[in-house]
C-alpha cells in the first residue's frame, strides 16, 4: 500500500456528515452565489485574525492578483519577493503588469532574507511580497520598517501559513493585505479551489469587492473599476466555515506528526526543519534537506512511500520568466536548496503507523548512501 505525501480521504471519512450537511445547507438556502455562507465565512475568518475585512475569492492566485490591484500595483511597478515559492506568487505579479524582483532566502529556514530588501528597492518599487513558506512566517519587522521607509505596500502571501503566528501576531494580520489559498492540500483546505484576502483598510476592501465582480457593486450593473469574475463559491465557503472551527485541531495534529519525525530522524544526517525565532510553525509541509535527495526519493518510492519537492525549479530559472534577467547563479541559496530539499508525507490524519514506516525507511536508506 502506498503512503501518499498527502491524502484527504481519511479526513473526509471522519468529517463526511458535516461536509455533506454543508453542501445540503447551501442547496436548500435558495442562494447559490453571494449568499450567507460566503458572508459568514468572511466575517468569521476576519474575526479569527482580528482584521476588519475578509473578501472571499475563487482561488489563491486571484487573491494575490486582486490584492495587488487593490493596493495600487500595476504596469511599470516592481514587487520584491522570492523565487523559492510556488509559481502563482510570481504569476500574479506578472498578471497585473508589474515586474517581480527576487531576493534570496536564508539557508536555515528557507524564508526571505529580509536583509537584502533595501538593496533591491528602486524608484519603481511599489510593494513587498513576503511568502510565509511551509507553515511559518517571514521576519516581518524589517519589512514593516522598509515599507514605512520607502512608502511601499506590504502584502503577505499566506497560502501556506493558516494559523501560523509570528511574535504572537497572526500571519495575515501584519501587512496592508494578506492573500490566502484554500486549495485542498492547505492547512485550511476546501474541496476545490477557493481563496480570500484579508485587509484592515476600508478602501482596499471596497476595491477588492468590486474587482472580484467585474468591477461592479454586487447588485448593480455599472463597472467602476474593470475587474473580472473571481467570486468565492457558496459551497466551498460553507465547507470552509465548518472546517475553520477545526483549524486548531488540524494544526495540532500536524505539529504532532512533525514532533514524531523530529524525534525519529534526529541522528540520520537529514537537515530537519528549523523554526525561526518568534514563530509558531503549523507545518503545512515538512521539508528536509540532503545532498543525495534524488537517490533517497527513488529508494523510498521503491518502498511505496511518496515524497515531494517544493520546489525543484526556482521561478527565476523557469523559461517563462527568463525575460526577467536573473540568470542561474544569481540566487545561490535558493538554487542550492532546490537541489536538496524534499517533503515527507504530512497531513493531520496521517496514521501513526505510516509515520513510523517513513521514519524506518529513511533510517534504513540513509546509512547506505
Amino acid at each position: 500500500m502506498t503512503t501518499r505525501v498527502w491524502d484527504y480521504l481519511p479526513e473526509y471519512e471522519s468529517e463526511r456528515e458535516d461536509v455533506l450537511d454543508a453542501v445540503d445547507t447551501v442547496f436548500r438556502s435558495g442562494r447559490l452565489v453571494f449568499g450567507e455562507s460566503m458572508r459568514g465565512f468572511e466575517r468569521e475568518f476576519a474575526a479569527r485574525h482580528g482584521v476588519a475585512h475578509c473578501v472571499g475569492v475563487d482561488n489563491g492566485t486571484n487573491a494575490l492578483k486582486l490584492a495587488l490591484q487593490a493596493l495600487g500595483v500595476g504596469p511599470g511597478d516592481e514587487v520584491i519577493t522570492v523565487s523559492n515559492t510556488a509559481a502563482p506568487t510570481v504569476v500574479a505579479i506578472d498578471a497585473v503588469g508589474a515586474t517581480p524582483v527576487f531576493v534570496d532566502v536564508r539557508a536555515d529556514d528557507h524564508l526571505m532574507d529580509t536583509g537584502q530588501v533595501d538593496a533591491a528597492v528602486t524608484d519603481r518599487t511599489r510593494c513587498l511580497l513576503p511568502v510565509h513558506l511551509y507553515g511559518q512566517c517571514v521576519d516581518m519587522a524589517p519589512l514593516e520598517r522598509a515599507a514605512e521607509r520607502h512608502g511601499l505596500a506590504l502584502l503577505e502571501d499566506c497560502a501556506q501559513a493558516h494559523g501560523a503566528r509570528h511574535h504572537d501576531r497572526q500571519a495575515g494580520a501584519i501587512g496592508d493585505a494578506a492573500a490566502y489559498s484554500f486549495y485542498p492540500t492547505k492547512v485550511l483546505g476546501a474541496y476545490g479551489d477557493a481563496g480570500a484576502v484579508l485587509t484592515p483598510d476600508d478602501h482596499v476592501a471596497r476595491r477588492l469587492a468590486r474587482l472580484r465582480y467585474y468591477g461592479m457593486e454586487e447588485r448593480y450593473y455599472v463597472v467602476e473599476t474593470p475587474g473580472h469574475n473571481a467570486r468565492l463559491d457558496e459551497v466551498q465557503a460553507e465547507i470552509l466555515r465548518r472546517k475553520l472551527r477545526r483549524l486548531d485541531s488540524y494544526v495540532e495534529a500536524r505539529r504532532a506528526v512533525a514532533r514524531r519525525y523530529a524525534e525519529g530522524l534526529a541522528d540520520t544526517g537529514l537537515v530537519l526543519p528549523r523554526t525561526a525565532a518568534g514563530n509558531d510553525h503549523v507545518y503545512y509541509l515538512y521539508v528536509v534537506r540532503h545532498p543525495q535527495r534524488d537517490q533517497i526519493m527513488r529508494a523510498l518510492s521503491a518502498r511505496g512511500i511518496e515524497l515531494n519537492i517544493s520546489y525543484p525549479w526556482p521561478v527565476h530559472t523557469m523559461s517563462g520568466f527568463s525575460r526577467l534577467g536573473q540568470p542561474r547563479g544569481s540566487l545561490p541559496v535558493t538554487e542550492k536548496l532546490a537541489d536538496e530539499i524534499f517533503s515527507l508525507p504530512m497531513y493531520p490524519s496521517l496514521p501513526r503507523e505510516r509515520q513510523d514506516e517513513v521514519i524506518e525507511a529513511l533510517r534504513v536508506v540513509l546509512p547506505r548512501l
Side-chain angles (χ1 to χ4, degrees):
M1 184 178 293
T2 300
T3 298
R4 297 180 177 179
V5 73
W6 174 77
D7 189 353
Y8 76 92
L9 289 173
E11 178 182 286
Y12 176 65
E13 287 303 319
S14 67
E15 300 180 359
R16 182 174 180 272
E17 290 187 10
D18 197 32
V19 172
L20 295 181
D21 183 67
V23 176
D24 189 60
T25 295
V26 172
F27 288 175
R28 291 178 181 275
S29 71
R31 188 71 182 269
L32 298 178
V33 178
F34 279 148
E36 177 52 30
S37 292
M38 187 191 77
R39 296 293 178 224
F41 176 71
E42 289 176 331
R43 289 192 303 270
E44 291 155 19
F45 198 65
R48 176 175 176 110
H49 292 81
V51 175
H53 305 283
C54 172
V55 178
V57 297
D58 56 346
N59 59 64
T61 308
N62 273 335
L64 285 163
K65 178 181 180 289
L66 300 187
L68 287 165
Q69 289 179 285
L71 291 168
V73 178
D77 294 331
E78 293 177 347
V79 178
I80 296 174
T81 190
V82 293
S83 182
N84 182 36
T85 184
T89 305
V90 183
V91 168
I93 297 170
D94 185 71
V96 301
T99 299
V101 175
F102 300 117
V103 296
D104 215 342
V105 297
R106 305 189 301 199
D108 56 355
D109 56 24
H110 312 178
L111 298 169
M112 175 185 275
D113 185 346
T114 58
Q116 297 187 18
V117 168
D118 273 319
V121 173
T122 72
D123 58 4
R124 294 175 55 196
T125 306
R126 180 69 182 85
C127 181
L128 305 180
L129 205 173
V131 179
H132 299 322
L133 198 68
Y134 304 153
Q136 65 171 329
C137 297
V138 173
D139 185 7
M140 293 298 289
L143 296 182
E144 290 178 283
R145 292 193 293 269
E148 177 73 21
R149 188 162 52 248
H150 299 288
L152 307 175
L154 181 55
L155 170 60
E156 300 173 71
D157 184 338
C158 292
Q160 302 186 11
H162 310 82
R165 301 182 73 87
H166 177 63
H167 292 292
D168 209 32
R169 302 166 75 188
Q170 292 194 76
I174 302 172
D176 297 300
Y180 283 84
S181 167
F182 303 114
Y183 185 73
T185 62
K186 304 302 185 184
V187 178
L188 180 61
Y191 277 72
D193 279 314
V197 182
L198 292 177
T199 181
D201 189 293
D202 296 349
H203 174 70
V204 171
R206 285 194 296 271
R207 289 203 69 194
L208 284 164
R210 290 194 296 269
L211 288 166
R212 72 172 174 190
Y213 190 56
Y214 312 110
M216 302 175 186
E217 298 291 343
E218 287 177 18
R219 297 187 179 181
Y220 298 92
Y221 292 89
V222 177
V223 172
E224 297 185 16
T225 304
H228 62 280
N229 179 8
R231 296 174 297 222
L232 174 59
D233 180 80
E234 278 290 287
V235 171
Q236 300 300 343
E238 184 62 31
I239 291 171
L240 287 167
R241 287 184 81 180
R242 312 293 182 94
K243 294 189 73 175
L244 181 60
R245 300 162 194 163
R246 297 189 284 271
L247 178 56
D248 290 337
S249 67
Y250 298 151
V251 169
E252 185 46 48
R254 287 174 177 272
R255 287 173 174 160
V257 176
R259 287 193 295 270
R260 191 156 185 80
Y261 281 153
E263 293 166 3
L265 300 170
D267 57 351
T268 60
L270 284 178
V271 179
L272 303 180
R274 175 185 175 274
T275 300
N279 275 351
D280 293 330
H281 207 312
V282 297
Y283 294 100
Y284 168 58
L285 300 175
Y286 193 88
V287 177
V288 299
R289 289 179 62 186
H290 197 283
Q292 278 77 51
R293 185 263 315 279
D294 294 343
Q295 296 95 307
I296 295 168
M297 292 185 70
R298 285 194 294 269
L300 265 68
S301 178
R303 292 169 174 263
I305 298 172
E306 290 182 356
L307 304 174
N308 190 44
I309 307 173
S310 297
Y311 299 95
W313 301 284
V315 178
H316 73 287
T317 69
M318 295 178 182
S319 59
F321 291 103
S322 59
R323 59 187 164 75
L324 297 176
Q326 284 198 246
R328 190 174 292 276
S330 61
L331 300 171
V333 177
T334 294
E335 292 167 28
K336 183 173 178 58
L337 289 175
D339 291 335
E340 297 184 354
I341 56 176
F342 60 103
S343 303
L344 306 187
M346 170 59 76
Y347 50 94
S349 53
L350 179 65
R352 188 180 178 111
E353 59 269 23
R354 294 300 179 87
Q355 300 169 39
D356 291 341
E357 288 174 6
V358 174
I359 293 167
E360 180 59 27
L362 286 167
R363 295 192 70 86
V364 169
V365 167
L366 286 166
R368 298 176 180 175
L369 297 177

